[in-house]
Amino acid sequence: MRQFTYERATSAASAAAAVADNGNAKFIAGGTNLLDLMKLEIETPTHLIDVNGLGLDKIEATEKGGLKIGALVRNTDLAADERVRRDYGVLTRALVAGASGQLRNKATTAGNLLQRTRCPYFYDTNQPCNKRQPGSGCSAIGGVTRQLGIVGVSDQCIATHPSDMAVAMRALDATVETVKSDGVTRSIPIADFHRLPGDTPHIETALDQGEIITAVTLPPPVAGRHVYRKVRDRASYAFALVSVAAIVRPDGTGRVALGGVAHKPWRVEAAEADMPNGAATVMRKLLDGARTTEENEFKVTLAERTLAGILEETKG
Amino acid sequence: MRFDTPATNNPIDQMKVVGQAITRIDGPRKVTGTATYAYEWHDASLKAAYGYPVGAAIAKGRISSMDVQAARQAPGVLAVVTAESAGKLGKGSLNTATLMGGPEIQHYHQAIAVVVAETFEQARSAAQLIKVDYVEAPGAFDLAAEMENAVKPESGDPDSAAGDFGPAFEAAAVKLDERYTTPDQSHAMMEPHASLAVWNGDELTLWTSNQMIAWNRAQIAATLGMEEDKIHIMSPFIGGGFGSKLFLRSDALLAALGAKAAGRPVKLALPRPFLMNNTTHRPATIQRIRIGAGQDGRITAIGHESWSGDLPGGGPEAAVMQTRLLYAGQHRMTAMRLATLDLPEGNAMRAPGEAPGLMALEIAMDEMAEKLGIDPVEFRIINDTQVDPEKPEKQFSHRQFVECLRLGAERFGWERRNPTPGSVRDGRWLVGMGVASAFRNNLVMKSGARVRLDREGVVTVETDMTDIGTGTYTIIAQTAAEMMGLTVDKVAVNLGDTRFPVSAGSGGQWGANSSTAGVYAACVALREKIAQKLGFNSTDVTFADGEIRSGNRAISLAQAAGDDGITAEDTIEYGDVSEEKQQSTFGAHFVEVGIDAYTAEIRVRRMLGVAAAGRILNPITARSQMIGAMTMGVGGAFMEELAVDKRRGFFVNHDLAGYEVPVHADIHDQEVIFLDETDPYSSPMKAKGVGELGLCGVAAALANAVHNATGVRVRNYPVTLDKIIRDLPRIG
């Protein structure tokens, strides 16, 4: 870990300004991912701006009938919120499927969206990685890839986004609210928030330098059974091999998003029309163009069978 | 005391204390945080500086240049030591690769430098400033690719044979010929390797986390070119080892080198990723098993071959050993072949040999039973043997293998198993049961102890034996209490110090029986001395209720001790008796698993382990060993694998996020049964080991249960959902 200076921000805009002026500055909230990455010198900020005191830790009803979740709402509190549990069950289920109780107590809503990949080659600074060191190459391609991405991958990167929460938010059509140093705000649909790796896997989100997340807004509740199925080798405390966030109405229509398969939560709205026709049909469109390796091609079958289980369970 | 005839009746047989369910005497210290581990000797090292290691970034090659200037000048840095500046280093005979690499690099994360600084953070930060250029050399990293280049190892009894295997196998009515693989595995114990080194002139004091401190002292003496008597090692509490702390590792060497260079005490713990690539691991195996049997289920031919790899100078994973002893069969062969691999050093991990060997053999037995149409429990019983099948003149000292299988089957409800795979459903779960045999040889080791009776009537035991979480403190206290007629609260136990008599140490599941036998020997000597001092005839005294009694005379031990106390010391040494009979431990594992019919997720529903391992010294600590081992078996069956990058030559998943072991949510119903037995050939304690036996066979029982649940036979561990999902019944 490199030495760094530290300040506590007093407003979102001033925090944004401090980062906008300093390419080596970073925000810190829960620190559950950033501190680990700093110890390994994968992240080497010289200045940290602590945003925990910004008061963005409330969950409020919106005029449109949705919920506005402050950027600093802890994962534990979000999962336990009565409105979330009642109206956005897929989100609560995704949250409690992630990490551990201790981590969820610290981890924030915005930080969860911004957590970085768990690709083991990204974590080992002796290995080339385009995400960690642009242009150095991807050592995961041709290496150990069982956990890695199968869709939306590029020749530069096959990493996945590790979040469960973000997968549920993608199914819910959440919006990421931000503010820049000049006070200008943006509402970024979550579909556009995370990027595919392409030729610039080190650029992971649509945020500009110095732009800070203030909230995530959920639209009014989506009717139907809310399910989150996270599939992994052990029963708890592991990243998803594949996860499925689904909302299924009694007639079999609904929404579906996948985790553990891509550089971002993976959803193809056009595929959802086929939900009443079964999982296989949905997956043909949802995973169209999948590029798998010998080690991770099972994820295609696994995603289909996991969705099939959900459709069976939510029948009638 | 020489042990060269089978044990007869002795004070241990009273079982007033030994064999009783006594909770750990060191438990309160552990749960209050006052059991001091290697990194925590703050009082001993108020001025300790912190060491941080640097590991090689390549698997094989040479360092062409190394720039440590920036690190030396970094804030708080006291010293930087590399192979170049360390001076001449030897290599301990128990290490395969050198612990300090450079300029030659033998494996990934081989230590190449240590940085010492005032704080841990400064040391870690400065370590990352060291710039190293390498010239990489091509290496061999793929066991399957190197199989054909594997050779017969020069030592270690690689081959065995009896009868004429080839023709007998060809002629067998029912045959199996299959190949199985087990992956590289990491010990992944809770406490990383850690040491605190303090120099006083040319004398070195080392607080470390090590299972075998007498070995460790000899190894560090050889590595640093010192006399052993200048080295003092203490290792009283150890947060798990599983074999990774049998040997001197880089933490101790780097702490010693760093402390010398800095002129300060230095503490160093290996960072978690170093556990996988810097220390040792259980080597992967490829195993071919051939079994031939008659229609009656009797094995006529059994052959087991195993291939593994290691660095030059290393040894094979002895995966065929149990096959020499476990089942009958007139015609037999085993063979081990060793390939050169440039991966990190392979070495012992809990039940080395038998653990991976039974992972393969016990699937093969399940497959064979299926081919024969015989229940897999019965098939094993049919092939029981009471003699070493390679040397039929040699009997087992005590073998209740069949009893384990029968009792386990009854208690588990084995008769409810549906032999047709894939036919039991519970909601969304496909349910199956599996069985496997457990087998591990019983090893005995010379072991010494010193006991002192003081005027308070307290007996203090001193031995360099270690407690790696196994319960050594408690069973040693029980042994001394039993021998001296005391309760355990009148016994103090001090362990893990090279100033104490050399013991068996903790390894190979020999620790419990051997170290308590050493305490037994010392207590016999103490009883003798007490009787002598009082002028009692030592042949007709009894020790009970804190007194020594002879006829109608009774004197309290406190009084007998007097102001000076009485001290005795002895060592148990094993004569031919341990060679006369084949000493082994036996067991059976029964498990039930559920497989999600959609996702193929594999979860354990219940487990039963039955063990026949001589006298159980303490049913609480022994049970802990069993359930811990059974949990480790779940890891071995369903998740543990050091994933090899075959291009770059290292274990990729080198942390506890990537190297998965079971979590609480994976473990539900576990039961353990110990058969009530004693083995007079093992020692005066009549005990044997259970710590490794408990792991042997577990993974195969689980793999067999997956087959019973789904009809899918997986022969390559770990058995993960990707290996079965395509063959599950169609859905929807």
Side-chain angles (χ1 to χ4, degrees):
Chain A
M1 186 183 275
R2 303 262 177 93
Q3 290 204 356
F4 59 89
T5 51
Y6 171 89
E7 70 172 283
R8 288 197 178 123
T10 51
S11 75
S14 70
V19 167
D21 293 345
N22 181 353
N24 293 319
K26 283 224 167 242
F27 304 121
I28 183 164
T32 58
N33 191 209
L34 179 62
L35 290 176
D36 283 351
L37 294 168
M38 287 170 68
K39 289 172 187 172
L40 295 164
E41 298 199 2
I42 293 163
E43 296 271 14
T44 53
T46 55
H47 185 60
L48 287 186
I49 296 140
D50 185 331
V51 296
N52 283 299
L54 297 186
L56 302 171
D57 55 357
K58 293 166 194 69
I59 304 172
E60 298 161 315
T62 66
E63 285 175 11
K64 292 179 182 164
L67 282 182
K68 185 177 172 190
I69 303 160
L72 294 165
V73 172
R74 308 287 154 174
N75 285 179
T76 296
D77 298 330
L78 182 57
D81 186 89
E82 194 187 325
R83 293 160 292 183
V84 176
R85 289 169 61 190
R86 184 183 61 227
D87 300 330
Y88 303 94
V90 65
L91 180 55
T92 284
R93 292 188 175 100
L95 282 160
V96 298
S100 67
Q102 293 91 331
L103 287 166
R104 293 194 297 267
N105 288 343
K106 286 295 287 179
T108 63
T109 304
N112 188 312
L113 291 175
L114 294 173
Q115 66 180 302
R116 307 201 67 190
T117 185
R118 296 285 166 167
C119 173
Y121 293 93
F122 172 73
Y123 265 77
D124 187 334
T125 50
N126 291 325
Q127 310 307 326
C129 171
N130 287 323
K131 187 182 277 299
R132 179 167 24 80
Q133 202 180 345
S136 61
C138 172
S139 47
I141 294 172
V144 174
T145 58
R146 181 169 180 265
Q147 294 273 352
L148 301 181
I150 58 169
V151 66
V153 298
S154 75
D155 290 339
Q156 310 304 322
C157 181
I158 58 171
T160 58
H161 193 268
S163 173
D164 294 299
M165 182 195 82
V167 181
M169 286 181 170
R170 179 72 181 89
L172 291 167
D173 279 332
T175 306
V176 182
E177 315 290 348
T178 70
V179 63
K180 296 189 195 183
S181 54
D182 54 8
V184 173
T185 60
R186 282 210 287 170
S187 294
I188 308 169
I190 194 161
D192 302 330
F193 183 77
H194 294 103
R195 296 165 49 111
L196 289 179
D199 290 333
T200 54
H202 59 292
I203 303 172
E204 294 171 348
T205 70
L207 293 176
D208 291 334
Q209 175 72 23
E211 186 172 12
I212 185 170
I213 299 172
T214 53
V216 174
T217 302
L218 301 181
V222 183
R225 289 275 295 277
H226 284 221
V227 181
Y228 190 78
R229 269 298 264 128
K230 183 178 186 182
V231 182
R232 41 194 164 174
D233 291 319
R234 64 181 175 190
S236 180
Y237 204 48
F239 294 97
L241 293 168
V242 164
S243 68
V244 180
I247 301 169
V248 190
R249 286 182 282 267
D251 62 0
T253 62
R255 300 178 180 188
V256 58
L258 302 181
V261 295
H263 203 250
K264 59 190 289 186
W266 193 253
R267 182 174 170 203
V268 176
E269 280 79 348
E272 290 166 0
D274 279 316
M275 282 176 71
N277 303 323
T281 325
V282 174
M283 283 302 158
R284 265 197 291 282
K285 286 182 185 163
L286 187 51
L287 295 178
D288 183 40
R291 214 170 86 188
T292 61
T293 67
E294 198 181 326
E295 287 182 14
N296 68 21
E297 64 174 338
F298 76 93
K299 289 189 175 189
V300 174
T301 311
L302 179 57
E304 180 190 323
R305 293 185 70 113
T306 307
L307 180 62
I310 291 170
L311 295 179
E312 180 66 28
E313 179 188 323
T314 51
K315 251 185 201 165
Chain B
M1 176 184 289
R2 277 193 73 77
F3 183 71
D4 43 20
T5 55
T8 52
N9 204 37
N10 70 47
I12 298 297
D13 294 316
Q14 301 173 95
M15 300 271 283
K16 287 181 187 164
V17 195
V18 167
Q20 300 303 311
I22 291 169
T23 56
R24 289 161 191 265
I25 63 169
D26 52 329
R29 292 182 69 183
K30 290 201 169 155
V31 298
T32 55
T34 51
T36 312
Y37 290 82
Y39 205 70
E40 302 173 335
W41 287 93
H42 310 301
D43 292 346
S45 63
L46 290 173
K47 284 189 288 185
Y50 291 80
Y52 199 87
V54 179
I58 62 165
K60 191 178 183 186
R62 290 177 65 81
I63 294 172
S64 53
S65 73
M66 200 165 175
D67 182 356
V68 300
Q69 275 314 311
R72 282 222 164 91
Q73 286 157 10
V77 170
L78 302 166
V80 177
V81 183
T82 64
E84 202 175 40
S85 62
K88 187 173 161 16
L89 294 176
K91 182 170 79 65
S93 56
L94 300 174
N95 291 132
T96 303
T98 57
L99 296 176
M100 177 70 106
E104 190 198 351
I105 299 302
Q106 293 165 289
H107 64 84
Y108 190 72
H109 271 177
Q110 185 175 27
I112 56 170
V114 58
V115 177
V116 179
E118 293 285 353
T119 70
F120 169 78
E121 288 77 12
Q122 287 171 333
R124 181 178 61 190
S125 176
Q128 283 160 314
L129 296 174
I130 293 178
K131 296 279 170 271
V132 188
D133 290 319
Y134 300 93
V135 179
E136 285 193 65
F141 309 118
D142 183 352
L143 176 60
E146 296 302 318
M147 256 179 96
E148 61 189 48
N149 300 323
V151 299
K152 183 173 164 178
E154 283 165 19
S155 61
D157 211 4
D159 289 4
S160 74
D164 194 358
F165 172 78
F169 178 70
E170 283 311 314
V174 180
K175 290 195 280 261
L176 168 131
D177 183 353
E178 290 290 352
R179 184 165 143 160
Y180 306 85
T181 65
T182 64
D184 297 285
Q185 292 181 331
S186 178
H187 306 81
M189 68 283 168
M190 191 74 82
E191 183 202 24
H193 298 75
S195 293
L196 164 64
V198 183
W199 288 94
N200 183 8
D202 62 349
E203 295 189 2
L204 173 64
T205 304
L206 198 62
W207 285 266
T208 190
S209 183
N210 190 276
Q211 301 172 224
M212 303 287 300
I213 66 171
W215 288 5
N216 204 28
R217 178 162 68 168
Q219 297 288 299
I220 199 153
T223 307
L224 291 175
M226 296 173 66
E227 299 296 325
E228 282 194 44
D229 61 8
K230 303 272 190 196
I231 301 165
H232 177 201
I233 296 177
M234 280 166 281
S235 190
F237 291 101
I238 297 164
F242 306 126
S244 78
K245 295 172 179 168
L246 286 169
F247 316 110
L248 174 68
R249 297 304 313 171
S250 62
D251 59 305
L253 178 64
L254 297 180
L257 292 173
K260 185 133 232 177
R264 284 267 293 273
V266 167
K267 61 165 65 171
L268 184 147
L270 292 186
R272 187 61 72 178
F274 273 53
L275 186 59
M276 285 73 184
N277 285 292
N278 175 270
T279 76
T280 60
H281 65 278
R282 187 200 299 285
T285 65
I286 297 170
Q287 303 179 46
R288 182 190 186 191
I289 295 178
R290 285 174 287 175
I291 304 175
Q295 296 290 359
D296 60 356
R298 288 185 191 284
I299 293 173
T300 52
I302 184 163
H304 193 164
E305 296 154 88
S306 175
W307 290 259
S308 60
D310 205 354
L311 288 165
E317 178 67 25
V320 306
M321 288 310 206
Q322 71 290 321
T323 308
R324 296 177 182 175
L325 290 162
L326 185 50
Y327 298 117
Q330 192 185 347
H331 304 284
R332 38 207 313 133
M333 63 81 65
T334 68
M336 291 183 274
R337 295 294 176 266
L338 178 62
T340 297
L341 290 181
D342 298 297
L343 290 169
E345 179 173 336
N347 216 315
M349 177 169 145
R350 198 175 198 173
E354 279 94 338
L358 284 161
M359 284 166 87
L361 177 65
E362 290 301 292
I363 295 181
M365 288 295 285
D366 200 64
E367 294 192 70
M368 197 62 191
E370 194 182 25
K371 280 174 188 269
L372 287 158
I374 298 176
D375 178 88
V377 173
E378 283 308 311
F379 179 53
R380 288 170 171 86
I381 290 171
I382 289 169
N383 289 290
D384 183 44
T385 173
Q386 291 293 316
V387 297
D388 177 343
E390 289 183 359
K391 306 179 193 79
E393 67 285 358
K394 192 171 185 181
Q395 293 178 317
F396 284 93
S397 58
H398 198 55
R399 175 170 167 134
Q400 294 203 77
F401 173 54
V402 169
E403 290 78 357
C404 290
L405 285 163
R406 288 210 193 284
L407 182 64
E410 182 198 318
R411 295 287 178 86
F412 194 73
W414 182 253
E415 80 283 353
R416 294 201 302 274
R417 173 182 179 266
N418 188 325
T420 307
S423 53
V424 179
R425 188 83 184 244
D426 176 9
R428 71 171 209 261
W429 297 97
L430 304 166
V431 179
M433 292 189 200
V435 65
S437 306
F439 175 92
R440 170 84 172 139
N441 275 339
N442 187 58
L443 306 173
V444 290
M445 294 278 275
K446 183 176 162 178
S447 194
R450 183 159 57 226
V451 287
R452 189 178 70 249
L453 174 66
D454 66 24
R455 63 180 180 185
E456 308 296 326
V458 170
V459 169
T460 300
V461 184
E462 293 178 336
T463 165
D464 87 350
M465 181 61 192
T466 49
D467 187 328
I468 59 173
T470 40
T472 312
Y473 279 100
T474 311
I475 57 173
I476 282 182
Q478 288 175 272
T479 303
E482 191 79 76
M483 291 300 292
M484 304 311 299
L486 296 169
T487 49
V488 285
D489 59 318
K490 293 286 184 193
V491 179
V493 181
N494 296 323
L495 300 180
D497 190 320
T498 47
R499 291 173 300 191
F500 301 155
V502 174
S503 74
S506 298
Q509 79 170 10
W510 64 59
N513 175 53
S514 298
S515 70
T516 53
V519 174
Y520 169 92
C523 287
V524 168
L526 181 62
R527 287 163 61 113
E528 203 54 59
K529 277 193 168 179
I530 296 168
Q532 224 167 44
K533 180 178 174 189
L534 299 175
F536 287 8
N537 179 354
S538 66
T539 55
D540 63 33
V541 296
T542 55
F543 288 77
D545 307 323
E547 295 179 336
I548 174 171
R549 294 168 188 160
S550 179
N552 54 10
R553 293 178 64 197
I555 294 175
S556 77
L557 290 188
Q559 200 185 340
D563 283 350
D564 296 338
I566 306 173
T567 301
E569 180 176 334
D570 201 2
T571 294
I572 189 100
E573 293 179 72
Y574 294 89
D576 295 342
V577 66
S578 58
E579 302 299 317
E580 269 172 39
K581 305 268 183 178
Q582 176 57 43
Q583 283 184 37
S584 304
T585 60
F586 304 89
H589 289 285
F590 294 82
V591 299
E592 184 179 297
V593 303
I595 286 87
D596 188 295
Y598 293 95
T599 64
E601 285 161 292
I602 304 167
R603 300 289 183 257
V604 185
R605 293 160 68 101
R606 58 195 185 99
M607 309 179 80
L608 167 65
V610 186
R615 170 174 281 146
I616 297 304
L617 301 172
N618 181 327
I620 293 178
T621 56
R623 179 176 184 276
S624 290
Q625 284 298 296
M626 284 290 290
I627 62 173
M630 287 154 67
T631 302
M632 199 177 216
V634 173
F638 296 150
M639 51 196 88
E640 288 184 50
E641 175 177 21
L642 284 169
V644 182
D645 187 311
K646 291 168 187 165
R647 309 157 305 167
R648 304 181 64 84
F650 73 110
F651 299 127
V652 173
N653 49 343
H654 49 59
D655 57 36
L656 290 182
Y659 187 84
E660 289 184 18
V661 298
V663 294
H664 286 82
D666 290 303
I667 305 300
H668 297 276
D669 184 3
Q670 289 183 323
E671 275 191 64
V672 177
I673 299 171
F674 295 111
L675 296 194
D676 187 12
E677 67 169 39
T678 52
D679 190 334
Y681 287 87
S682 70
S683 81
M685 303 302 294
K686 304 172 188 171
K688 296 192 278 200
V690 295
E692 298 189 334
L693 177 70
L695 175 61
C696 293
V698 178
L702 291 161
N704 294 339
V706 170
H707 175 258
N708 181 241
T710 63
V712 185
R713 182 67 76 180
V714 180
R715 300 185 184 88
N716 304 305
Y717 289 96
V719 181
T720 46
L721 63 87
D722 45 312
K723 294 173 185 168
I724 61 174
I725 194 164
R726 283 183 206 86
D727 298 318
L728 287 188
R730 287 193 57 79
I731 43 154

